Each structure stands twice: as structure tokens, then as C-alpha cells.
Amino acid sequence: MLTKIAVSCDEYGHLVDVLLVLLRKRGYEPIYFGPHAGEEVHDWPLVTQQAIDQVLKGKAAEAIVMCWTGTGCTIVANKMPGIRAALCLDAETAKGARIWNHANALALSQRATSAAVLEEILNAWFDTPCSTDQWNVTQIDRVNDLDAARTNSR
């Protein structure tokens, strides 16, 4: 059974197809939320939430969310408890997001990401494990405590 990755984008563009192909080449099964070729733009908060919900419900291992700048989808994803979304414009940022932040949602800018850079980002993202050293684990525990405190204050 293939690992599922939730994918969203508010506006169809070439990068959507490139991303879906690259994920399949890596052996993942993408679950896509957003418009297809010729369809109208979808609301970025809604498609991002649909993808993130797949992760929260255990239907996808991770999410890759996109919008024009990548900022909006990052904001929405990080509103969801337990999600650590990182906006990555290059492979080094993706690598660091995995090592130090244990990011479980990759956010991308459809405007600023070329197909070649996308492949580099995905390679770094999927090939870099989360750090297990005590200092980094403590940092993630602190982030998780913020999620818990926010959830309990409601």
C-alpha cells in the first residue's frame, strides 16, 4: 500500500502536475484538493484545510500545500493543532524544517518555485529524517505544549 500525501493548491498551474508526477515517482499516492486544468480558482483557506484535515484524520502521512506566494497556505496549515508547516523556497530550508522543526506539512510558492527547484525541495524533504537528539526533541515538545495550551484555553 502506498503512503498517501495530501496536496492542495488554490489555482491550477504547471507546478501542480509536476508535483503530482514527482510524488508518484517517489512511490507516494497523492490526494489532491484544488482545481484541475480549466477549472476556476478555489479558495486557498478551504483547499489547504482539506489537505491538512487528511493528515489530522490519519488519512495521509503528510501534506504539501501551495498557493501563489505560499504564505497563505502556511498560515492556514499552522492554525491546525499538531501541524508544523514550513514554507520552503529551497532544499536547504526543507532540510532544516525536517531536522529542527519536525515539519509535517510542506508549503510551497506556486509563483517562486520552478520544477527543478521543486524536485530539489522534495528530495531534501523526503530524504531528511527528523532529528532525534534531545535538544531538538525538547524544542518540538515546547511547540507541542503551545498547541495543547491553545486547545485547552478554548
Side-chain angles (χ1 to χ4, degrees):
M1 184 165 156
L2 298 176
T3 300
K4 295 180 181 181
I5 305 290
V7 174
S8 68
C9 193
D10 60 336
E11 184 176 356
Y12 175 80
H14 173 69
L15 200 62
V16 171
D17 289 334
V18 172
L19 174 58
L20 298 177
V21 167
L22 290 172
L23 287 172
R24 288 184 187 106
K25 277 186 178 180
R26 290 188 72 87
Y28 295 105
E29 179 184 341
I31 307 166
Y32 176 65
F33 299 93
H36 296 275
E39 292 181 357
E40 300 230 355
V41 172
H42 291 200
D43 291 341
W44 52 267
L46 298 179
V47 294
T48 301
Q49 184 177 3
Q50 289 174 314
I52 296 301
D53 281 345
Q54 295 294 299
V55 175
L56 295 175
K57 293 176 181 176
K59 295 180 179 182
E62 297 179 11
I64 300 174
V65 295
M66 287 190 293
C67 64
W68 187 244
T69 65
T71 306
C73 61
T74 305
I75 292 168
V76 170
N78 281 320
K79 293 280 185 186
M80 311 299 276
I83 297 299
R84 289 177 304 280
L87 174 56
C88 298
L89 300 178
D90 57 62
E92 279 303 305
T93 303
K95 184 177 176 182
R98 294 297 259 198
I99 293 170
W100 301 306
N101 309 124
H102 295 201
N104 56 4
L106 171 62
L108 298 168
S109 167
Q110 192 176 29
R111 179 193 64 76
T113 309
S114 68
V117 170
L118 174 62
E119 189 164 13
E120 292 172 2
I121 290 170
L122 292 178
N123 288 339
W125 182 263
F126 288 117
D127 295 344
T128 304
C130 296
S131 171
T132 58
D133 75 66
Q134 191 54 54
W135 186 86
N136 281 309
V137 170
T138 298
Q139 305 317 301
I140 298 308
D141 288 344
R142 292 178 198 280
V143 173
N144 291 338
D145 289 347
L146 292 171
D147 272 345
R150 187 173 63 186
T151 301
N152 291 334
S153 70
R154 290 182 181 167

